[in-house]
Amino acid sequence: MKIHDTVRLVLTTPMSDREIADAVGVSKTTVGRYRRLADAKHLRWSDLAHLAPSKLTQRFNRDPNGNKTRKVPDLAEIQQRLDDGVTLQVLWEDYRREDPHGTLSYSQLAARMRRYRKTLPTGMRMSHEPGYKAYVDFAGFKRIPLPTYLDPTTGKLVAVQVFVATLPASSLIFAKCVPSQKVPDFIQAHVDMLAYFGGAPLTIVCDNLKSAVVHAGKQFVLQASYKEFARHHRIAINPARPFRPKDKATVETSVGIVQDHIVARLHQRTHHSIEELNASLAELLDELNRRPMTEYRKSRWERFEASERQALQPLPVEPFVYAKWVAIPRVPKDYHVRVDHHHYSVPHALTGQRLTARLTADRVGIFKETEEVASHTRSFERGGHTTDPAHLTDDHRAWSERTPEHMVAWAKKAGPQVAQFVRNHIGKSHPLAALPACDEVKALAEKHGTLALNQAAGEALHLNTVSLGTLRRILSKQSQAGAPTKTTRPRHRYAQGSKAFAQRVKEAAC
């Protein structure tokens, strides 16, 4: 605006160059140059008053580049290519190849792009539908450190993380201290958030931390436990774009509010556990949500009760149970997969395939895609194994059942006398040493039947013996006594005996 005032005073007042220079704040030489140009071109203020300062500058000042024009690339096109992932260095090199004599340096192009970005619309006022979205984030404080509590056992301060969530339609805020940002604490904070809201939104917008998103980007991959939580509560998870904090600007604002109104006050108190810390936080949070907002003249709770509570989905009847998911790259040849340092069996037909294990506090479920193929009681024995007999092959199952206990169980089904015979036989020596004899008893049952075996075992016990030879002889006598009498086939009238055959041989020799 100085040029505007200077030219006006030169053309409309009798003031000297020195007086004008002092009044406007420019040099006397500049005022004199403007006066000479105006006289030479016969300029009048009535012709110049409507011009903008930039136009006046063109009339009264020379181009610092000596009226040389620089070939400037299309800044809008450059910004589009930058959004596509091309670097500014590459674009500047392309510009220099097209115009080798160009005077636009890389730093000048970067400065022009910075000024251009300031002219772009970067913010959009959003209207939020009640019950549609919830924004969540962990608070990363800069001005105020994270909350801490004094561990009574070690006497050291333990820092905790602050989980913050907000419903944008009503601006209701939820906050809680958690030990870490790991998956169990992250999901438990979500469960407590839904309990605080009394319902579930349709969508949750989260950051791209590893507890939520395994692979970020357009084709993002959610963490398995987080996906299960969302499926249980019928919620869609929509991660914010990487390096786009404005995608969740609402919760970023809530983080600042929590920092100023809650965390700053928590540092004024001494807490000895995270439970005490959360109790104090809950008091301050309730006070924050019930405080009237300047813009709306209502508190966050009042706006939530009026418009958003009834819009939330009802919570499931069964509470969510956190489970850890573990990938099993390949089922080994013994079809026992290693999960949390313990080995669990799966059906032998799945050998060599890729599975997934789901661990809760007391169960281990193993899945092939979405189908559960095995379920076991969780064991914390490191290096041990848990086997379901139904998963074994026929040969392996028969071998696994070759134990004294299985032999006695089989004998009970065969009959009381067989059971007593087997028990007496096992009691005579080491149980494992009696297994071959028990195998032979089972073979006799297959040959003669359990009814005959039970009767023969009773006779052997009556004779006060558990000899297998005695048992075989008894069964042999039983089979002979019960077999039909052998009948002699009638001799054919033309059949001749050995004497006739010998006589024919003698005659033939003569």
Side-chain angles (χ1 to χ4, degrees), residues 179-456:
S180 69
Q181 295 188 15
K182 295 181 179 179
V183 177
D185 299 325
F186 179 66
I187 293 181
Q188 184 59 46
H190 278 70
V191 173
D192 296 337
M193 171 194 72
L194 298 184
Y196 184 80
F197 292 156
L202 294 176
T203 306
I204 290 180
V205 179
C206 63
D207 207 345
N208 286 280
L209 72 164
K210 287 298 182 182
S211 295
V213 182
V214 178
H215 298 292
K218 292 182 179 180
Q219 302 296 328
F220 61 87
V221 178
L222 292 178
Q223 202 276 338
S225 299
Y226 196 33
K227 185 190 298 183
E228 185 181 17
F229 160 83
R231 189 181 299 117
H232 180 81
H233 292 91
R234 304 180 301 280
I235 295 174
I237 304 297
N238 184 20
R241 293 174 296 172
F243 309 108
R244 295 292 189 275
K246 289 187 177 181
D247 285 0
K248 50 186 181 63
T250 304
V251 72
E252 297 287 351
T253 303
S254 299
V255 166
I257 295 173
V258 169
Q259 172 181 304
D260 295 336
H261 295 274
I262 296 180
V263 177
R265 296 183 183 179
L266 290 177
H267 284 289
Q268 300 173 0
R269 311 178 187 180
T270 301
H271 304 88
H272 297 88
S273 67
I274 194 170
E275 290 76 18
E276 290 185 14
L277 200 58
N278 276 317
S280 298
L281 186 148
E283 295 177 5
L284 297 173
L285 179 64
D286 186 68
E287 176 185 338
L288 172 65
N289 283 326
R290 296 187 184 280
R291 180 184 306 159
M293 302 172 69
T294 304
E295 183 175 358
Y296 300 103
R297 307 265 181 151
K298 291 182 179 180
S299 69
R300 291 177 169 83
W301 266 118
E302 290 173 335
R303 299 184 68 221
F304 172 74
E305 295 288 351
S307 63
E308 196 151 23
R309 180 183 288 278
Q310 62 271 20
L312 295 174
Q313 301 181 90
L315 297 178
V317 177
E318 296 183 2
F320 175 73
V321 178
Y322 169 75
K324 179 182 178 182
W325 290 83
V326 179
I328 302 169
R330 183 182 178 87
V331 178
K333 291 184 177 181
D334 65 356
Y335 46 90
H336 280 66
V337 295
R338 184 172 180 266
V339 180
D340 196 22
H341 306 288
H342 192 83
H343 297 81
Y344 299 91
S345 68
V346 298
H348 62 85
L350 298 176
T351 300
Q353 299 190 31
R354 180 181 178 87
L355 304 178
T356 308
R358 180 179 182 270
L359 286 79
T360 62
D362 56 350
R363 298 294 301 175
V364 174
I366 302 174
F367 293 79
K368 184 179 187 302
E369 296 179 350
T370 58
E371 178 187 1
E372 187 176 42
V373 296
S375 179
H376 299 276
T377 301
R378 186 172 181 179
S379 174
F380 295 92
E381 178 188 1
R382 294 178 68 92
H385 68 275
T386 300
T387 304
D388 185 346
H391 297 160
L392 304 177
T393 64
D394 294 339
D395 294 342
H396 293 176
R397 186 181 301 110
W399 183 260
S400 67
E401 293 176 355
R402 194 173 179 270
T403 62
E405 294 77 15
H406 280 90
M407 290 298 182
V408 172
W410 168 83
K412 288 180 179 178
K413 296 178 181 179
Q417 304 301 329
V418 177
Q420 188 60 43
F421 184 88
V422 169
R423 278 195 292 264
N424 291 353
H425 207 289
I426 292 175
K428 283 182 61 179
S429 60
H430 192 280
L432 295 179
L435 291 179
C438 294
D439 291 336
E440 190 166 349
V441 173
K442 291 183 71 174
L444 291 173
E446 293 178 2
K447 181 178 180 181
H448 299 279
T450 56
L451 186 62
L453 180 63
N454 193 61
Q455 183 178 353

Side-chain angles (χ1 to χ4, degrees), residues 153-173:
T153 57
T154 62
K156 296 181 180 180
L157 290 175
V158 180
V160 299
Q161 301 289 326
V162 179
F163 176 85
V164 180
T166 184
L167 293 173
S170 61
S171 301
L172 186 68
I173 296 175

Side-chain angles (χ1 to χ4, degrees), residues 421 440 444 465-476:
F421 184 88
E440 190 166 349
L444 291 173
T465 180
V466 290
S467 170
L468 291 177
T470 302
L471 186 63
R472 282 194 294 268
R473 285 192 295 272
I474 295 173
L475 286 170
S476 178

